[in-house]
Amino acid sequence: MSQLSLKVEFGGGIELLFSKKHTITVELPALVPTDDSTDDQSLMEDTAKEKKPANLAYLVLYLRDRLLTERAELFVENGTVRPGILVLVNDTDWQLEGEGDYELKDKDNIVFISTLHGG
Amino acid sequence: MTSCGNPNVEKDALMERRPKYDGKTKICVKCKENQGNVVIRHAVYCKSCFFPLVQTRFKRTLEPSINPAPDGPRRKALRAAGSLAVGFSGGTCSMTLLDLVAKTYLTTRPTGNESMKGGTDHPRNSERGVWKGKPTVCYVEVCGAFSGQIDQTEVIRAIVERYPNCPFEFIPLRLEDSFNPSWWSSVGGGNAVDSARSFGLDISDEELRLTHISQSTPPDSSALTALKAYLSSVPTLTAVNSTIQTLIRLLLFHTAAAHNASHLLLGTSLTSLSVNLISGIAQGSGFAVAEEAKEEWTPRPARGLPVRVVRPLRDVGVKECAIWNWWAGLHPVDRPWYPSGAGKNAVDSLTRDFIFGLETDYPATVSTIARTCGKLASKEDSDERCILCERPAQRRVQDWKAQISIRSYSDATPAVSGITKPTHLSDDEISNLTQAKQESKPEPSLAPYLCYACHTTLTSRSIRGMTAPLSAQRAKETPLPMWVRSTLDGVVAKDSVDSEMIQSKKLTSQDIKSQIEQYLIDE
Ligand SMILES: [Zn+2]
Ligand SMILES: [Zn+2]
């Protein structure tokens, strides 16, 4: 099982940064480059790069590099999601799951909710 | 924070980001049984305990204010003096507020787990009929203020009307209603067409002189034009944001008064309250800081009931609201975070970034801000109210400003400028008599009736520069919101009889420079 299929959902207006899609499916290799590169070449199975298990921190960078359509600064800040964006892993606050260090599993459901439009 | 630098850039240099949760236990602190689902200010809760937790905080904040007089030792049944109005924006906390109101007070019959997903605290019969009549939900559409924004009124209507058995009456408003005489008379403000005169504002210099607008009352169709003229005359992006907030606030107040509301609920969360408080202080509204947490507004002109403005989510963070919405299947209305025209670097946007950063890394700090501001009281109690935002104002904001900034004033001038209306003269005669005098005498000014924050909002151009250049004529005839015109009709006349009109003398930039020379620091 070298490939992960993840259900990624966006709420609270964050979908505006992802072509207004509320739900997407992301396919990731279970092992990703240690240097966090996200290009196709680096994700090939036969790449010479050093590998690590794919974690949430990597998913955030992958979403930013590959799927975000505008204003990256509203999603990522200092290498992690910007303050004011909540992350749920299988319906549980990512703070209970080690945040960025959480190792992704196949069929995981990851939710990003923005609270920046408080009103 | 060591300085007044950009918190966005500096906070990470000063405060190391750290994990919020130490991972010692994942068991819910409440039921001590289930695996936790969410961390709220360092405590772990499961999904079933989360809903009652938020609902309890909501009720604990709201309910002591419901009965007209505070309860004695024994808790009486909840009976409000009037009806309920809810200000609704479609945003995250607003969504949660509406949902809590519906599920706590308007559910006709508790229906097991569906009425409060996973919750155990069902509405009791005694909590029905707390308010008189059908609660109103007021929404202010702001798209008129910005080009390229879409009208969300119907989206909002659908959200409000989705609740079973239509417990709410939906009242759509528009920002430009602030300048609309029909709206003003519909909320019982009075007939603006019969009003003796119409003031405009000369915003082209700091004295904020009132001018007489030739055409007394603009027809409804030009309310939008008036709004745009008003906003484009406001000097900075920060000021545009706070001006819009003030207009929304007063539109909600007057609509609530017209519906005989005793309570107006706003979806201000702990997080946004802290943002408002800090950004308000930064913009000069320190005098009214205690009001932001809790306030009561007596309508002017007098009608209806005093309206208690309650923020029942002021002990609930925006994170809790977002999670509530997500788990309850509610989707806040999509809206760009920084509407065009509301600059990313405006004071409130910067404050928001700072507070959100704090809440993520140091959640307790944010509630400390709100609590501390709730305790602030101004040394001098004030009966005066600002004519624009209706918040308590210090008498004569100019006196205050005179103490802290460089200004000078001529002596008060007796009233000769036509703002009192001698009963034996017709309007035409008055205008003939006063026209010549207006050439030589300074006109009345709006400044004495403004709070410090509103005065600063309207005059801060000297620091930041104009948002857009105004034609000289437009700058001199900036329209005023209906409530300002209405109150002016009364108070300007009264004050000029009392010969209290304070006229300000214009300072040239040379005057100012010579006065502050000794304080200037070489660059
Ligand atoms: Zn529990
Ligand atoms: Zn004011």
Side-chain angles (χ1 to χ4, degrees):
Chain A
M1 192 67 205
S2 61
Q3 199 74 2
L4 306 176
S5 177
L6 310 165
K7 183 183 177 195
V8 178
E9 294 179 86
F10 303 111
I14 209 167
E15 62 279 4
L16 295 179
L17 304 181
F18 291 90
S19 325
K20 298 189 178 172
K21 290 199 181 87
H22 287 270
T23 306
I24 55 173
T25 302
V26 174
E27 307 279 342
L28 274 186
L31 294 176
V32 296
T34 311
D35 66 5
D36 283 336
S37 49
T38 54
D39 56 295
D40 280 339
Q41 200 65 44
S42 308
L43 290 175
M44 303 282 248
E45 217 159 324
D46 56 358
T47 176
K49 289 191 171 182
E50 201 185 322
K51 299 279 188 63
K52 63 169 184 182
N55 60 12
L56 253 179
Y58 183 84
L59 175 68
V60 168
L61 299 178
Y62 181 89
L63 291 173
R64 179 194 64 185
D65 296 346
R66 304 289 296 256
L67 293 151
L68 191 95
T69 48
E70 53 186 307
R71 307 190 67 177
E73 78 278 7
L74 294 181
F75 183 59
V76 175
E77 189 182 289
N78 302 317
T80 184
V81 292
R82 190 191 152 105
I85 294 175
L86 307 179
V87 188
L88 299 179
V89 181
N90 303 324
D91 229 14
T92 294
D93 196 336
W94 77 330
Q95 292 181 10
L96 288 165
E97 302 286 352
E99 303 192 12
D101 295 336
Y102 171 81
E103 280 182 21
L104 296 164
K105 298 188 295 294
D106 192 35
K107 306 276 188 274
D108 271 349
N109 176 207
I110 313 292
V111 180
F112 296 91
I113 310 167
S114 169
T115 62
L116 294 167
H117 170 48
Chain B
M1 295 292 298
T2 49
S3 68
C4 303
N6 179 354
N8 222 6
V9 175
E10 292 186 0
K11 66 168 185 275
D12 292 306
L14 296 166
M15 294 177 170
E16 276 301 312
R17 188 160 284 170
R18 54 175 191 178
K20 269 63 63 183
Y21 176 67
D22 59 13
K24 272 183 202 135
T25 173
K26 289 186 182 178
I27 301 295
C28 172
V29 295
K30 194 84 186 226
C31 63
K32 299 185 170 59
E33 226 170 75
N34 299 340
Q35 284 282 317
N37 292 97
V38 60
V39 183
I40 294 165
R41 285 178 247 169
H42 302 298
V44 180
Y45 296 90
C46 72
K47 202 167 170 176
S48 331
C49 293
F50 169 80
F51 287 96
L53 171 83
V54 173
Q55 195 188 30
T56 301
R57 287 187 184 165
F58 159 79
K59 291 170 68 171
R60 199 172 56 204
T61 308
L62 171 60
E63 295 191 346
S65 77
I66 289 181
N67 289 346
D71 285 354
R74 280 190 58 195
R75 190 176 179 272
K76 298 194 199 87
L78 296 173
R79 285 282 175 276
S83 72
L84 175 67
V86 181
F88 185 66
S89 71
T92 301
C93 302
S94 201
M95 271 322 234
T96 310
L97 174 66
L98 193 68
D99 203 44
L100 276 161
V101 170
K103 286 173 177 167
T104 309
Y105 301 108
L106 306 172
T107 313
T108 40
R109 162 189 293 268
T111 54
N113 271 344
E114 269 317 292
S115 74
M116 177 63 63
K117 280 193 181 172
T120 51
D121 194 358
H122 294 303
R124 295 190 300 272
N125 278 340
S126 65
E127 284 168 343
R128 286 163 45 203
V130 172
W131 285 276
K132 296 182 173 144
K134 200 172 192 178
T136 50
V137 175
C138 314
Y139 166 71
V140 180
E141 175 54 60
V142 299
C143 68
F146 308 103
S147 51
Q149 281 219 4
I150 50 165
D151 188 331
Q152 304 264 30
T153 305
E154 291 313 308
V155 178
I156 299 284
R157 181 195 300 277
I159 291 170
V160 173
E161 292 179 351
R162 190 192 47 199
Y163 282 93
N165 308 320
C166 280
F168 300 113
E169 183 189 347
F170 179 61
I171 302 183
L173 299 162
R174 311 186 71 79
L175 202 57
E176 54 268 31
D177 284 338
S178 313
F179 300 89
N180 182 344
S182 305
W183 169 77
W184 183 241
S185 71
S186 80
V187 295
N191 189 341
V193 183
D194 286 350
S195 137
R197 68 210 140 246
S198 182
F199 287 115
L201 184 63
D202 181 354
I203 202 159
S204 61
D205 66 17
E206 280 214 354
E207 283 77 37
L208 299 176
R209 272 186 285 266
L210 292 164
T211 53
H212 295 262
I213 292 182
S214 29
Q215 195 44 268
S216 67
T217 303
D220 291 7
S221 62
S222 72
L224 184 58
T225 318
L227 169 70
K228 286 184 168 161
Y230 185 71
L231 290 178
S232 65
S233 72
V234 173
T236 64
L237 292 174
T238 298
V240 169
N241 287 349
S242 52
T243 298
I244 291 172
Q245 292 312 311
T246 298
L247 296 180
I248 291 174
R249 175 185 149 83
L250 269 292
L251 286 165
L252 295 176
F253 280 16
H254 285 288
T255 306
H259 285 81
N260 236 28
S262 55
H263 294 80
L264 170 64
L265 309 189
L266 300 177
T268 316
S269 69
L270 177 64
T271 317
S272 36
L273 184 62
S274 302
V275 172
N276 296 351
L277 291 167
I278 297 289
S279 122
I281 290 170
Q283 292 173 64
S285 65
F287 191 72
V289 143
E291 287 289 295
E292 199 68 52
K294 184 187 173 194
E295 60 181 317
E296 184 162 284
W297 175 71
T298 310
R300 5 180 221 196
R303 65 203 191 281
L305 299 161
V307 181
R308 286 187 181 164
V309 185
V310 188
R311 295 164 171 85
L313 296 180
R314 67 162 189 261
D315 203 22
V316 176
V318 70
K319 174 176 181 178
E320 291 94 297
C321 294
I323 301 251
W324 176 288
N325 295 342
W326 185 258
W327 281 341
L330 304 169
H331 298 283
V333 176
D334 296 347
R335 189 164 298 162
W337 297 327
Y338 304 110
S340 53
K344 193 173 181 286
N345 289 320
V347 168
D348 46 0
S349 299
L350 291 175
T351 313
R352 185 167 42 194
D353 288 349
F354 173 64
I355 298 282
F356 275 105
L358 262 189
E359 185 168 59
T360 304
D361 297 346
Y362 297 86
T365 318
V366 175
S367 64
T368 307
I369 291 170
R371 270 178 245 276
T372 307
C373 289
K375 287 180 197 146
L376 292 180
S378 113
K379 271 194 278 181
E380 173 189 351
D381 249 343
S382 175
D383 294 334
E384 297 287 310
R385 275 196 277 163
C386 171
I387 198 166
L388 185 52
C389 73
E390 294 273 327
R391 289 192 170 93
Q394 282 200 319
R395 179 118 184 107
R396 305 298 185 211
V397 59
Q398 290 165 313
D399 293 349
W400 173 328
K401 284 211 166 180
Q403 293 164 20
I404 60 164
S405 51
I406 294 120
R407 263 141 220 275
S408 74
Y409 299 101
S410 61
D411 294 328
T413 331
V416 278
S417 46
I419 31 210
T420 39
K421 187 185 176 191
T423 45
H424 61 284
L425 295 176
S426 75
D427 283 347
D428 279 349
E429 285 168 324
I430 291 169
S431 89
N432 286 338
L433 280 169
T434 54
Q435 213 118 61
K437 288 176 181 164
Q438 278 168 22
E439 305 286 328
S440 52
K441 298 285 180 185
E443 296 200 36
S445 154
L446 189 66
Y449 310 108
L450 293 173
C451 69
Y452 183 82
C454 287
H455 188 265
T456 306
T457 292
L458 290 174
T459 58
S460 51
R461 110 175 31 92
S462 50
I463 316 164
R464 293 289 191 88
M466 298 282 286
T467 45
L470 281 174
S471 80
Q473 189 49 39
R474 248 171 81 206
K476 284 187 169 52
E477 288 195 0
T478 301
L480 289 164
M482 299 307 298
W483 54 89
V484 178
R485 292 172 47 189
S486 162
T487 310
L488 269 180
D489 274 352
V491 297
V492 174
K494 176 176 159 288
D495 278 12
S496 52
V497 171
D498 299 344
S499 306
E500 280 184 4
M501 191 68 67
I502 294 181
Q503 307 289 353
S504 32
K505 195 180 85 184
K506 203 168 177 180
L507 289 176
T508 68
S509 58
Q510 204 48 50
D511 288 339
I512 294 170
K513 199 173 177 202
S514 68
Q515 289 187 46
I516 62 170
E517 210 125 51
Q518 54 170 316
Y519 302 108
L520 294 175
I521 299 165
D522 293 330
E523 283 189 27

